[in-house]
Each structure stands twice: as C-alpha cells, then as structure tokens.
C-alpha cells in the first residue's frame, strides 16, 4: 500500500512538474515576443545615427536566440540602368520546441509588419513573424526596404530648366562579427556603424530621363522570399535614385 501510494505521488509530481515547465516555456515565448518588439524599437532608433547604440533585454532558458548571417538582399530599379544594390544582411531568430507552445505545422503570422519586404510609404522596417515547422516554433525578425519620392528640384542649364525627382531607397543591413546561439539573461545590442548614400543618375549626373509611363518600379528580394515590387509615380523630367544604407552591428 505504501509503495503504491508513493508511486502515485511520484507520477503526480512528475506530471505537475511537466505542466509547470510547459507554462514557464509558454510564458517565456510571450516575453520573447515583447523583447523582439523592444529590440526592433532599439535598432530602428539607432539605425540612422552613426555610432549610436541601443539594446533590449532578453531572458532565454526554454528556447534559444540565434543570429543568422549572409542572407542575400537585392534591390533593383526596373528600366534604369545600374540603379541597384546587391548585398547581404542577417536576421534574428528566437526558437523553442512545440513542447512549450504550439500552433499548427506550417503556421505563419506576423506580429510586426507583414509579408511585404518593400514599403513605398511610412511603416516599420522590421518584419517579425511566428512560424512553426518540424517541432519548432520560431520568432523571426528581418528588415525590409523603404522607397519613396522625397523631393523635386528645378535645375537650370543654359536656357533650359529641368524638373528633377529624387527617389530615396532606405536599406537597413545587419552586420554580425559572429553568430552564436544565446541562452540565459543578456542585452542584445544594435550599434549603427555607418550610413552611406550612393546616387545613380545618367552619364551627365543630372538624372535619368523619366520614361513615358512617368513612374519607376522598385523590386526587392530578401533571401529566398518572393520578389516584392512597388511603383512610384514621377512628375519630373529626370530622376535620381539615392540608395541610403545603414549598417547596423548586432551583438550582445
């Protein structure tokens, strides 16, 4: 009788411990979502200020935080020769086992931004998603591209005046010195290393002649994601494309 009672107590204790661990893992998952949103605020705030740094606190015991490098990033302006960017970036991923939280196999939703890599107006550069595959639930934070017409100026050469549109394309690239897996309590830091601008125009450097459609089309491909495009209306005689690139180092 005593042995039976003891066995039942041990089974009940083990079950209770398992439930408590699942609850703690689920709580950490929700806290990780908040930390990712806080880190996005920190990174965005630091991105356009060289040498500025910001950080966000993470507590990771039931999952792991990974920094994943070398994701190709390509930006192209259709029909305007040489107006393009070809580089790479990194992304941030928190992942935990479906033991602690679960949705459905193949599930994907966004809790910051959406599935569009390119924005032609205001909005977040960051895109944060929940994804479930093969026994893991991931929180993934990536950064997209923003493009818009920012100004129109009149330029006079001799007796001719041309209206020149400026289209700015803002790109945040994540730079890693290493890419470990983080577990425990730590501050994840974002530091802006540099902000550079590369302008593209025609051979006389005064802007490409605007085509007859009076618009330009920007295309962006991030990693293996589908190509996103956006068209920007133009009202000038010529157009200059300015690629503004922030390089942000992420570390702890």
């Amino acid at each position: 009788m005593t042995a039976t009672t003891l066995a039942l107590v041990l089974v009940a204790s083990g079950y209770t411990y398992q439930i408590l661990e699942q609850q703690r893992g689920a709580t950490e998952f929700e806290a990780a979502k908040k930390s990712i949103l806080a880190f996005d605020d920190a990174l965005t705030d630091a991105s356009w200020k060289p040498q500025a740094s910001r950080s966000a606190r993470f507590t990771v015991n039931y999952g792991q935080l990974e920094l994943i490098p070398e994701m190709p990033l390509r930006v192209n302006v259709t029909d305007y020769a040489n107006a393009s960017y070809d580089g790479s970036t990194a992304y941030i991923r928190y992942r935990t086992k479906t033991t602690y939280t679960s949705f459905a196999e193949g599930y994907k939703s966004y809790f910051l931004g959406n599935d569009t890599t390119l924005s032609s107006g205001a909005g977040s550069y960051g895109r944060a998603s929940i994804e479930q595959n093969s026994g893991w639930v991931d929180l993934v934070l990536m950064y997209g591209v923003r493009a818009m017409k920012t100004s129109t100026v009149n330029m006079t050469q001799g007796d001719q005046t041309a209206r020149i549109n400026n289209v700015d394309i803002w790109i945040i690239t994540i730079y890693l010195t290493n890419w470990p897996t983080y577990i425990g309590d730590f501050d994840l830091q974002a530091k802006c290393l540099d902000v550079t601008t590369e302008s593209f125009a025609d051979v006389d450097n005064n802007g490409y002649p605007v085509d007859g459609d009076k618009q330009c089309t920007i295309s962006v491909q991030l990693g293996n994601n589908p190509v996103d495009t956006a068209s920007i209306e133009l009202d000038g005689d010529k157009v200059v494309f300015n690629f503004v690139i922030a390089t942000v180092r992420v570390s702890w």
Side-chain angles (χ1 to χ4, degrees):
M1 183 68 177
T2 302
T4 301
T5 302
L6 181 60
L8 290 173
V9 169
L10 290 173
V11 170
S13 298
Y15 178 74
T16 301
Y17 177 78
Q18 183 180 14
I19 293 298
L20 287 173
E21 288 293 281
Q22 289 175 343
Q23 291 175 344
R24 289 167 180 158
T27 299
E28 178 180 288
F29 180 82
E30 293 301 320
K33 285 172 62 177
K34 294 178 181 178
S35 292
I36 283 176
L37 292 174
F39 181 73
D40 171 70
D41 286 341
L43 186 145
T44 302
D45 187 49
S47 290
W48 307 107
K49 306 167 187 174
Q51 302 307 307
S53 63
R54 303 288 186 273
S55 63
R57 189 71 171 171
F58 283 81
T59 297
V60 179
N61 295 302
Y62 293 87
Q64 58 194 45
L65 190 81
E66 302 170 337
L67 306 181
I68 302 174
E70 302 302 323
M71 171 177 279
L73 174 60
R74 299 179 178 89
V75 184
N76 184 63
V77 184
T78 306
D79 297 329
Y80 289 90
N82 302 320
S84 63
Y85 171 84
D86 193 350
S88 64
T89 187
Y91 65 95
I92 294 96
R93 178 172 70 187
Y94 167 88
R95 58 180 1 202
T96 190
K97 288 287 192 178
T98 51
T99 305
Y100 302 116
T101 190
S102 184
F103 297 86
E105 187 68 14
Y107 175 89
K108 184 172 183 177
S109 67
Y110 286 84
F111 61 99
L112 175 67
N114 52 41
D115 62 353
T116 301
T117 308
L118 173 63
S119 169
S120 58
S124 172
Y125 289 93
R127 303 159 61 237
S129 61
I130 303 172
E131 305 175 20
Q132 179 169 324
N133 288 290
S134 303
W136 291 93
V137 180
D138 297 341
L139 302 176
V140 179
L141 177 61
M142 298 181 179
Y143 284 87
V145 175
R146 184 181 296 174
M148 62 190 305
K149 186 184 76 175
T150 54
S151 66
T152 300
V153 297
N154 294 322
M155 178 173 288
T156 301
Q157 288 186 317
D159 59 353
Q160 294 185 337
T161 299
R163 286 170 53 81
I164 300 177
N165 292 148
N166 281 283
V167 173
D168 288 356
I169 301 167
W170 292 279
I171 302 170
I172 294 176
T173 62
I174 306 301
Y175 170 75
L176 305 177
T177 54
N178 51 53
W179 37 95
T181 296
Y182 297 100
I183 296 174
D185 296 331
F186 54 88
D187 291 320
L188 193 64
Q189 183 186 78
K191 180 176 182 178
C192 179
L193 300 181
D194 198 10
V195 178
T196 60
T197 301
E198 185 173 5
S199 297
F200 292 86
D202 63 1
V203 291
D204 66 4
N205 210 35
N206 291 325
Y208 296 99
V210 173
D211 64 24
D213 293 336
K214 289 289 186 179
Q215 65 178 16
C216 63
T217 300
I218 315 291
S219 67
V220 175
Q221 184 167 27
L222 179 61
N224 294 321
N225 293 298
V227 176
D228 283 326
T229 62
S231 293
I232 297 174
E233 298 298 321
L234 303 174
D235 58 6
D237 306 301
K238 294 185 176 184
V239 58
V240 174
F241 299 101
N242 305 299
F243 286 72
V244 186
I245 304 157
T247 303
V248 181
R249 184 184 67 204
V250 173
S251 61
W252 69 339

